[in-house]
């Protein structure tokens, strides 16, 4: 009764099918649009498999052709800016480097619907943790949009708690060791980090009395570092066709499976792109022509949680190494500066025994914002 055993299970690698994978959406925005091409890969690998050196075009029923050039591996950007309009029909065309041809079904621009507002709502998660929901509100009085997909870009400001406008410069790294405090040459007090959504957010109003949307697109815990200072989110709303909505709904259902041993194993997702070379060849992807609307929201932590204090999620313990150690005949301070793991904060005016040196140093993440983001302020940023 005190013995147990574990029987190992040998998992065989299932032979996978080599499919072309297409990510393609054009909108009514005047811009250079993007198409991404890749190929499926085996379950026991995690490397991206971009489809390179393809010929990608979008054509319309007025004989206009928009050419896409490869800007990065598997990423193709239109050579000129254009926008979809409601009177035209569009088709995606692809010729891969091995000469195989693919095309989508004809797609038309969906009916537009505008985002009216973005709002914040303090809520509690199912686990009992307080946070803030970002609510998108949209309305189409013509009642002909009905199917929606949302993506977002979130940008947050990073201001380390122990930044100094001065730094330590090594004057001599040999005996006699010498350093001096000088004015900082790099602006690293405030930085910014942008992240892109990866989840699939969908909703529909076809079953409702009116074409009105009010749903949360993002929930952020109050303890999340992203909102500890100043935060911004750009929400984009794509109005989709019924076919596109169903495609993404199926994709979301399969991608949210929590157990690879689930009896309902993922199957092939039917899109609107087919092989012209081999009618039996399967292609994964959907060519979507969507009306898009977007809106940006800013808020500070104290605006949402006036009675809470945000915390910096890193240990910022001071250190104050001595300039010269007579026992080792080395300089702990010079060595620490050279390690590039700490930065200068202030002169040591403490009387703590374990802080012997003349200068207080902090971990770099606590005094240099470029450890976590870029010190280039985005054009859209408003303080």
């Amino acid at each position: 009764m005190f013995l147990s055993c574990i029987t190992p299970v040998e998992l065989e690698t299932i032979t996978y099918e080599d499919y072309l994978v297409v990510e393609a959406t054009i909108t009514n925005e005047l811009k250079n649009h993007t198409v991404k091409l890749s190929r499926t890969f085996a379950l026991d690998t995690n490397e991206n498999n971009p489809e390179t050196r393809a010929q990608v075009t979008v054509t319309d029923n007025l004989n206009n052709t928009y050419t896409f050039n490869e800007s990065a591996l598997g990423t193709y950007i239109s050579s000129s800016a254009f926008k979809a309009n409601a009177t035209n029909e569009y088709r995606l065309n692809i010729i891969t480097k091995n000469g195989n041809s693919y095309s989508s079904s004809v797609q038309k621009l969906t009916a537009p619907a505008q985002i009216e507002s973005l709002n914040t709502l303090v809520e509690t998660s199912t686990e009992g943790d307080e946070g803030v929901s970002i609510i998108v509100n949209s309305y189409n009085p013509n009642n002909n949009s009905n199917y929606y997909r949302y993506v977002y870009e979130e940008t947050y400001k990073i201001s380390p708690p122990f930044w100094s406008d001065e730094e330590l410069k090594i004057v001599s790294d040999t005996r006699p060791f010498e350093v001096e405090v000088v004015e900082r040459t790099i602006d690293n007090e405030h930085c910014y980090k942008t992240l892109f959504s990866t989840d699939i957010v969908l909703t529909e109003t076809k079953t409702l009395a009116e074409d009105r949307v009010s749903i949360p697109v993002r929930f952020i815990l109050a303890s999340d570092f992203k909102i500890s200072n100043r935060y911004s989110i750009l929400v984009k709303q794509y109005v989709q066709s019924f076919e596109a909505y169903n495609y993404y709904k199926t994709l979301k259902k399969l991608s949210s499976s929590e157990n690879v041993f689930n009896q309902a194993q993922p199957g092939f997702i039917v899109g609107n792109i087919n092989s012209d070379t081999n009618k039996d060849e399967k292609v994964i992807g959907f060519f979507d022509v969507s009306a898009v609307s977007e809106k940006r929201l800013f808020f500070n932590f104290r605006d949402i949680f006036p009675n809470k204090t945000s915390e910096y999620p890193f240990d910022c313990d001071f250190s104050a190494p001595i300039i010269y150690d007579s026992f080792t005949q080395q300089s702990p301070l010079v060595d620490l500066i050279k390690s590039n793991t700490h930065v200068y904060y202030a002169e040591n005016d403490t009387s703590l025994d374990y802080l012997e040196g003349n200068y207080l140093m902090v971990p770099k993440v606590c005094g240099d914002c470029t450890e976590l983001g870029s010190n280039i302020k985005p054009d859209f940023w408003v303080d």
Side-chain angles (χ1 to χ4, degrees):
M1 64 183 295
F2 296 103
L3 299 176
S4 64
C5 64
I6 298 175
T7 303
V9 177
E10 295 292 337
L11 295 178
E12 295 184 6
T13 301
I14 301 173
T15 302
Y16 75 99
E17 297 292 338
D18 183 18
Y19 296 146
L20 178 67
V21 181
V22 181
E23 300 175 59
T25 298
I26 65 171
T27 70
N28 56 346
E29 301 167 286
L30 180 60
K31 67 175 188 178
N32 296 84
H33 296 273
T34 300
V35 172
K36 293 184 178 181
L37 304 180
S38 60
R39 311 224 42 119
T40 53
F41 51 85
L43 289 173
D44 55 358
T45 65
N46 57 6
E47 296 182 359
N48 291 328
N49 190 9
E51 178 68 24
T52 61
R53 294 184 290 138
Q55 300 173 43
V56 180
T57 58
V58 169
T59 56
D60 65 20
N61 57 320
L62 300 181
N63 296 321
N64 295 310
T65 298
Y66 306 97
T67 302
F68 289 66
N69 299 318
E70 190 170 14
S71 62
L73 296 180
T75 299
Y76 300 80
I77 298 178
S78 62
S79 57
S80 60
F82 71 98
K83 65 177 181 179
N85 66 68
T87 58
N88 291 8
E89 297 177 339
Y90 298 89
R91 186 190 301 272
L92 174 67
N93 309 281
I94 301 167
I95 300 177
T96 56
K97 59 179 175 286
N98 61 6
N100 290 342
S101 175
Y102 305 85
S103 61
S104 72
S105 60
V106 171
Q107 299 295 303
K108 296 193 69 174
L109 182 66
T110 52
Q114 297 300 313
I115 295 179
E116 294 183 323
S117 64
L118 295 178
N119 303 114
T120 59
L121 178 64
V122 175
E123 296 185 301
T124 302
S125 70
T126 54
E127 291 79 17
D129 299 314
E130 191 175 37
V132 58
S133 287
I134 312 297
I135 311 295
V136 59
N137 302 289
S138 173
Y139 177 59
N140 179 3
N142 297 321
N143 200 35
N144 60 350
S145 297
N146 301 133
Y147 302 101
Y148 300 88
R149 178 170 64 92
Y150 295 91
V151 300
Y152 55 83
E153 301 172 12
E154 49 186 355
T155 304
Y156 55 97
K157 188 175 184 178
I158 304 163
S159 301
F162 297 105
W163 178 83
S164 170
D165 59 0
E166 295 178 317
E167 60 185 351
L168 278 181
K169 176 184 176 183
I170 299 174
V171 177
S172 173
D173 61 357
T174 59
R175 292 180 62 189
F177 297 100
E178 185 180 354
V179 299
E180 64 177 348
V181 178
V182 297
E183 185 177 348
R184 182 172 295 282
T185 57
I186 298 176
D187 180 12
N188 56 10
E189 181 181 8
H190 303 297
C191 289
Y192 308 86
K193 180 83 170 182
T194 295
L195 300 173
F196 299 90
S197 58
T198 57
D199 48 344
I200 300 174
V201 182
L202 303 168
T203 193
E204 58 87 15
T205 60
K206 188 68 174 178
T207 57
L208 303 180
E210 57 181 356
D211 199 352
R212 187 181 297 276
V213 173
S214 182
I215 65 165
V217 295
R218 182 80 168 97
F219 176 77
I220 313 172
L221 292 174
S223 58
D224 195 320
F225 176 58
K226 294 185 189 71
I227 63 171
S228 63
N229 190 343
R230 183 162 175 79
Y231 172 89
S232 177
I233 185 168
L234 174 68
V235 177
K236 290 189 174 185
Q237 171 183 271
Y238 293 88
V239 178
Q240 297 191 292
S241 65
F242 174 71
E243 292 76 17
Y245 173 80
N246 270 339
Y247 174 84
Y248 279 96
K249 184 178 180 181
T250 304
L251 183 62
K252 179 178 181 178
K253 181 179 179 180
L254 295 182
S255 62
S256 63
S257 176
E258 298 179 355
N259 187 350
V260 296
F261 298 105
N262 193 303
Q263 291 181 351
Q265 292 295 326
F268 181 78
I269 308 174
V270 178
N272 66 348
I273 303 170
N274 297 289
S275 171
D276 304 318
T277 307
N278 179 4
K279 298 299 182 182
D280 295 326
E281 182 182 354
K282 295 178 179 179
V283 183
I284 299 175
F286 200 98
F287 174 54
D288 196 11
V289 183
S290 293
V292 66
S293 173
E294 65 179 44
K295 191 169 284 290
R296 181 177 290 281
L297 172 71
F298 285 89
F299 64 78
N300 297 324
F301 181 86
R302 62 180 177 270
D303 298 333
I304 308 299
F305 304 104
N307 299 319
K308 285 182 176 290
T309 302
S310 61
E311 296 184 2
Y312 202 65
F314 303 96
D315 292 330
C316 294
D317 295 333
F318 289 135
S319 60
I322 55 177
I323 184 67
Y324 177 66
D325 185 336
S326 59
F327 180 74
T328 63
Q329 299 188 9
Q330 298 297 319
S331 172
L333 177 58
V334 169
D335 289 344
L336 188 63
I337 296 172
K338 284 185 173 182
S339 73
N340 201 34
T341 60
H342 288 65
V343 293
Y344 170 80
Y345 173 59
E347 292 191 6
N348 185 9
D349 58 359
T350 70
S351 57
L352 299 174
D353 292 339
Y354 68 91
L355 297 175
E356 301 178 79
N358 295 327
Y359 308 106
L360 293 177
M361 307 288 286
V362 293
K364 197 172 182 181
V365 72
C366 302
D368 181 349
C369 69
T370 61
E371 283 290 283
L372 300 173
S374 168
N375 61 357
I376 301 174
K377 180 188 288 190
D379 294 336
F380 61 80
W381 191 264
V382 178
D383 284 310

